[in-house]
Amino acid sequence: MISALNQLVDLVEEHLAEGLDVHGLARELGTTEYHLRRMFSSLAGMSLSEYVRRRRMTVAAADVVRGEDDLLSIAVRHGYASTEAFGRAFRAVHGSGPGDVRRAGGPLRTQPQLRFRLTVEGRTPMDTRLVDRPAFRLVGHSARVPLIHQGINPHIQQHITALPQEEHHRLKALGDTEPGGLLQVCDDLDPDGTEGSELTYLHGVAVSRNTPAPDDLDAVEVPAGMWAVFRTAGPHPQALQTTWAATATEWFPSNPWRLRPGPSIVAVVERADDFSTATCELWLPVEPA
C-alpha cells in the first residue's frame, strides 16, 4: 500500500493539469480506488483532490511569479478554462490572487510533493478480531451530517438527543444479531474522507436479513462479507478516534486486508453515565488485499 500511494503521488505530478485515472492505477496495483483514496486521506491528512489542487497551485505560482506569460495562458496550462476559475483556486491555496502575487512576489503557501514511508511503531494497542458475517440490515433513524474528524460531532449529537428515551429502548429491543446494542453507523462516506463532506449517520441496531422492521425506520442493507473489529477503551470519543486513525497508519499497512465499500459501525459495549469514557467496538468492512 505504501508503494501504491507513492506511485499515486508520482501520477499526480505527471498529470497535474489533467484528470487522474485513479481507478486505472488502483486496478494495475491490485487494489481498489475506494481503499486507495481512503488510505491517502487518512495518512496524508488531506483528501486526494485537495492535494492535487495544492500541488497544481504550487507549480502555477512559479509561472505567475516569473511573469513570462499572461494569466489566461497560465490558467489554461494548468487545467482552468478562465482566469476567474484559476484565480479562485489560486486564492484558496495562497490567500492572495495571482495578480497580487505577480506584483509583490508573494505571499505563497507551497505544498511539497508527498512521499509516504512506513514506520510501524505500535503506539496504539490494536485489539482486533476478524468476523465473517452473513448479510444483515441496519435499522434506525438516519440523517445527513457533515464529517468532523476530531471531537464530538454536534450534528450527530443533536440527532440522537432529539429522539425520545422510549425510542432508544424500542430500537434496542429490535436488535437480534451482531454487532449488538445501539449502534452508531456512518454510511455513504466520501472515499476521500474530506472534513465537512456529508455522510449518512444512522442511530439504530443490527437485525437479521429476514427480521421485519417497522415502516417508520430507515434501513441499510449490508451484504455478506468480512469485518475487522477493533476494541477501544478510554476517554470518549478520543480513544475511538485515535484507534480509527491508527487503523490507517498502523493496522492496514501491516496486514493483508483492505477496506471495501460499506458502512462503518461503532457499537458501545459499556460507558460512563456522562459518556466521558466508553468501551467500544469499531467495525470496518474489509476484504483480502
Side-chain angles (χ1 to χ4, degrees):
M1 179 49 58
I2 298 300
S3 175
L5 289 171
N6 284 327
Q7 289 185 57
L8 177 58
V9 168
D10 291 339
L11 186 68
V12 168
E13 293 302 307
E14 294 170 10
H15 302 280
L16 273 178
E18 309 163 18
L20 287 176
D21 183 12
V22 184
H23 178 75
L25 176 66
R27 187 174 60 248
E28 289 177 15
L29 297 174
T31 187
T32 64
E33 180 180 356
Y34 181 85
H35 185 68
L36 200 59
R37 285 183 178 274
R38 288 288 297 271
M39 289 300 99
F40 184 96
S41 62
S42 297
L43 294 173
M46 71 184 90
S47 68
L48 176 59
S49 58
E50 174 64 15
Y51 174 71
V52 170
R53 185 168 66 92
R54 291 185 188 182
R55 281 297 299 153
R56 185 178 289 166
M57 290 301 104
T58 295
V59 174
D63 290 343
V64 169
V65 172
R66 277 196 295 266
E68 297 174 356
D69 298 308
D70 60 81
L71 293 180
L72 179 59
S73 298
I74 295 173
V76 172
R77 183 183 309 145
H78 292 281
Y80 293 87
S82 68
T83 55
E84 290 78 10
F86 175 71
R88 286 193 297 270
F90 193 94
R91 189 173 290 104
V93 170
H94 297 293
S96 298
D100 297 329
V101 167
R102 171 162 284 183
R103 287 188 293 271
L108 295 173
R109 297 171 185 163
T110 301
Q111 172 61 58
Q113 183 177 345
L114 288 177
R115 186 56 54 185
F116 293 94
R117 293 181 176 86
L118 174 59
T119 303
V120 181
E121 298 177 348
R123 294 168 300 183
T124 305
M126 306 297 284
D127 184 357
T128 314
R129 60 191 173 101
L130 292 164
V131 181
D132 190 3
R133 293 283 291 116
F136 62 95
R137 284 191 295 163
L138 297 162
V139 298
H141 297 276
S142 68
R144 295 290 288 174
V145 301
L147 174 63
I148 295 177
H149 289 147
Q150 296 292 330
I152 294 173
N153 188 318
H155 306 278
I156 291 177
Q157 190 175 40
Q158 182 180 10
H159 174 62
I160 295 173
T161 55
L163 298 173
Q165 192 61 39
E166 56 269 19
E167 185 61 14
H168 298 288
H169 296 307
R170 180 176 77 120
L171 288 172
K172 196 169 184 178
L174 286 173
D176 64 3
T177 190
E178 277 198 299
L182 288 173
L183 307 174
Q184 303 167 6
V185 180
C186 294
D187 198 19
D188 297 327
L189 183 66
D190 174 13
D192 284 334
T194 307
E195 186 156 25
S197 61
E198 283 200 335
L199 59 93
T200 297
Y201 176 84
L202 182 137
H203 179 73
V205 294
V207 298
S208 301
R209 195 172 189 180
N210 297 324
T211 299
D215 292 337
D216 63 328
L217 297 180
D218 302 307
V220 175
E221 299 290 338
V222 183
M226 293 294 298
W227 296 79
V229 184
F230 304 88
R231 193 175 182 90
T232 74
H236 188 78
Q238 292 85 352
L240 175 63
Q241 291 169 338
T242 297
T243 296
W244 202 315
T247 65
T249 59
E250 298 180 24
W251 195 83
F252 279 109
S254 309
N255 289 275
W257 299 92
R258 67 187 179 201
L259 284 169
R260 59 182 171 88
S264 58
I265 304 170
V266 173
V268 179
V269 178
E270 59 184 36
R271 66 178 180 86
D273 291 339
D274 61 357
F275 229 136
S276 59
T277 61
T279 299
C280 301
E281 285 189 341
L282 169 63
W283 289 61
L284 298 178
V286 298
E287 61 188 5

